[in-house]
Amino acid sequence: MTARSTCPYCGVGCGVLLRADGQGGLDVQGDPDHPANFGRLCSKGSALGETVGLEQRLLVPRVNGRETGWDDALQRVADRFAGTIAKDGPDSVAFYVSGQLLTEDYYVANKLMKGFIGSANIDTNSRLCMASSVAGHKRAFGTDTVPGTYEDLDAADLVVLVGSNLAWCHPVLYQRLLAARKARGTRIVVIDPRRTASCDGADMHLALAPGSDVALFNRLFAEICERGALDDAYLSHCNGFDETLDAARNDDMSATGLSDAQIAAFCRLWIGTERVVTIFSQGVNQSTSGSDKVNAILNCHLATGRIGKPGCGPLSVTGQPNAMGGREVGGLANTLACHLDLENADHRAAVRDFWGAPSVPDGPGLKAVDMFRAVGRGRVRALWIIHTNPAVSMPEADAVRDAIAACPFTVVSDITDRTDTARLADVLLPATAWAEKDGTVTNSDRTISRQRKVLPAPGQARPDWEILADVGRRMGFGAVFDYDGPAAIFREHAALSGIAGRFGRDFDISGLSRLTDAAYDAFEPRRWPIAQGRSGGRFFADGAFFHPDGKARLLPVKWKPPAARTEPRYPFRLNTGRLRDQWHTMTRTALSPRLSAHMAEPFLELHPADAGRLGIASADLVRVTSAVGAAILRARITDAVRPGQVFAPMHWTGETAPSARIDALVAAATDPLSGQPESKAGVVAVARYAAAWYGFAVSRDAMTPGADYWALARTRSGYRAELAGSAPVRDWEAEARRLFGRPNAEVASLLDAKQGTARIVLHEGRVLAGALYVSSQPVAVKRDYLATLPGTEAAGAFTGRPPADMPNPGPVLCSCFGIGINTIVQAVEDQGLMSVDAIGAALGAGTNCGSCRPEIAELLQGIRTREAAE
Ligand code: SF4
């Protein structure tokens, strides 16, 4: 039987068709009828079936490392939370939750903390993702409303991507945008300090200085006024015009680092195009001026009336599958349920009465950064972390890890115990995973979709809402946590939203408050609001806003530099971000060999001029240091970053590459309004890491690397690892046996102490169990070929390269079809292929999810440039 469900990764919220094979496996296809993706999936969504196995799953509750029953574990949680509250008050406990939670889970967590524990100390990893958008929306509109829809991309003539690498981070939306461009010639502008994959399809790339977006949009605002492009009728629905214009005119455009001509060209294009959508994401939000950046963008759309109409408007795209659902239930420390306001006494009273709660806190709780600081200072003494990995993903991650470790009582609910955070828990609670649970999620354009259970809950795993409700009952809060399933929670949430609707709020799904269980089961994707007389669509075309006077607010904002300044000790600006084929801290995507093939180890991008000055060669390792942490990463020398800037991905953890936990280097400076940390403008020093030796290993089974630097990745035949160390190793054979955990395997080795090289091959029976290659320089072997050898009888592991007559596809570029770079280059040269489409027609590369098309385009461009120079 096929079930319609939703992809659990990014905020696009693609529909998927799931079919269980009856043996724990899952077939995953795009849902052709889902309005978010119409059948398309990106590489991550396509590989979901590879991530549902039970390897690494947490299956039984654990207390202090001992397996136990649910009764014991949950009673302990309830008793410790109740005891801590009794002694030190409700603000001595906290929940840190996640945009991975379903809305029903989120709702129960928020109700338990804000309604019954009596604290607002619940925050979510969405704080790191889009809190600045929430703050900007609320300041401008009076509520956290996303005005537009995905259909606007189909109708726009200009789409501006600000701080958004849509091609990698929201690939299905990007493919939709490219399709629109093909159909109607949509122009695309990318505003990003770095040249990303999204630039390959763009008409204009503005590589502005990090953090200077406010100055650019202020210039645009001033130009809109000076060129007479204001929509005067629409402006009658807005306050604050004069102050905003004054601030915009007096801002410092030079802060952008862009030329006058570049800025003028952008302003001309934006002003001259009526149907313009501005998409913004982490490059805007993750900043100490994130809220101001959002408002600088919104100001331009409001002043021109380009909002809420087909093909027009600002569109914040969220990082997580249910960041929007978390916003709806009030899962942030400074929000109340259903877009009501914590600071409003009438709103609080309404929610309190609806829940039958003793009280609702009258002020915000601790936002993420402050929450972990409070844990570190001993002010929060009982902490429940649900489906997130703050010991890696929070800024100043080392300090956060230490704070969690020192917390008197930490509970972690997760699907695995193999995370940096789960290893610190006193109580570990096994939760059901994505394909094992029922509920709803809301995507970036307000579309609510069902997630449906298609696999049985393994071991003793339970849904999160059930775990939370059980603890609520055990803490004595009784029948208000007696739910018989997620549909009952959904109905309650929908009913509460009706009260919000009566207060004139935007989020109203009260039309679903009487949904039967059967109707909930059959629920089709729908965009909110869903209430009597209100349904889906866009907001604000009519000029009706949610501030008490019904008007929008233009906000006078001015450019402020990032919190940290570069200085001689830390001369580089560090940008962090996502890769195409990995997700967050890799707890799921790292299980997929297909996804791991794209970029198998962490890296630091730096400009050739900087690399040359520092004596860093391609494939060297570099040591990156900031005032709060350090990392060792592989150097990737590229002019995609500008001189003085470096970029590193945020995915690697203590489980996959302990020296590459990049958020350990990011200082916890936050936007004063949104509390969102500045993850894209840290300052660091970079130096060549003087390794005594470098290694590369492949293995059939898991390895236990113990080097200064290591990075582990899955392959179809087992694992691969990059290694390096600063201390010499005396006995490489013994080290190989230890690394592969095979003390009795048959070993063949080729050692050259003078050259500092070693090649050690371990066999068990006739098959290769592992092979280790060591050199005093970065190891030069054919990694993709060697990764196929473990578990086979193939000869030639010693040489480190395939036999001469065997094709070598090279590193995988198209994950869906496993097509390597060498295969593409060969086909281009042999067949004279001149376009990405021609390569697709010849090889299939880029014809499934399309996520690799920008990289194919870049490869093609490189070949053409090379040929032209020859
Ligand atoms: Fe999932 Fe990719 Fe769709 Fe995002 S774009 S929801 S990761 S399939």
Side-chain angles (χ1 to χ4, degrees), residues 7-14 40-42 44-46 169-173:
C7 173
Y9 293 128
C10 82
V12 178
C14 295
R40 268 194 181 279
L41 292 179
C42 75
K44 293 185 285 289
S46 303
C169 301
H170 301 89
V172 165
L173 267 195

Side-chain angles (χ1 to χ4, degrees), residues 714-735:
R714 292 300 300 260
T715 66
R716 292 211 182 276
S717 61
Y719 297 82
R720 57 182 277 181
E722 300 286 346
L723 311 153
S726 54
V729 174
R730 276 186 220 290
D731 184 346
W732 279 112
E733 280 190 12
E735 174 58 18

Side-chain angles (χ1 to χ4, degrees), residues 625-642:
T625 46
S626 77
V628 294
I632 302 172
L633 304 165
R634 185 75 62 186
R636 232 168 179 249
I637 299 171
T638 168
D639 63 4
V641 290
R642 298 169 76 192

Side-chain angles (χ1 to χ4, degrees), residues 526-615:
R526 281 183 74 180
R527 185 180 294 127
W528 62 258
I530 306 166
Q532 202 171 17
R534 299 174 72 195
S535 180
R538 301 173 182 82
F539 279 92
F540 307 143
D542 57 359
F545 291 89
F546 295 96
H547 284 300
D549 62 2
K551 292 189 173 190
R553 289 198 185 133
L554 300 171
L555 260 291
V557 287
K558 289 195 87 167
W559 168 75
K560 288 190 273 310
R565 307 275 183 134
T566 52
E567 47 148 319
R569 251 183 333 158
Y570 300 116
F572 287 95
R573 190 61 82 186
L574 171 67
N575 183 359
T576 66
R578 291 177 174 178
L579 299 180
R580 190 191 79 186
D581 285 0
Q582 291 298 343
W583 175 255
H584 280 196
T585 58
M586 300 165 82
T587 45
R588 276 185 303 230
T589 45
L591 299 175
S592 161
R594 187 181 352 167
L595 297 178
S596 301
H598 181 231
M599 287 179 169
E601 72 170 322
F603 58 84
L604 184 83
E605 287 185 351
L606 81 166
H607 191 272
D610 291 325
R613 198 166 37 77
L614 296 169

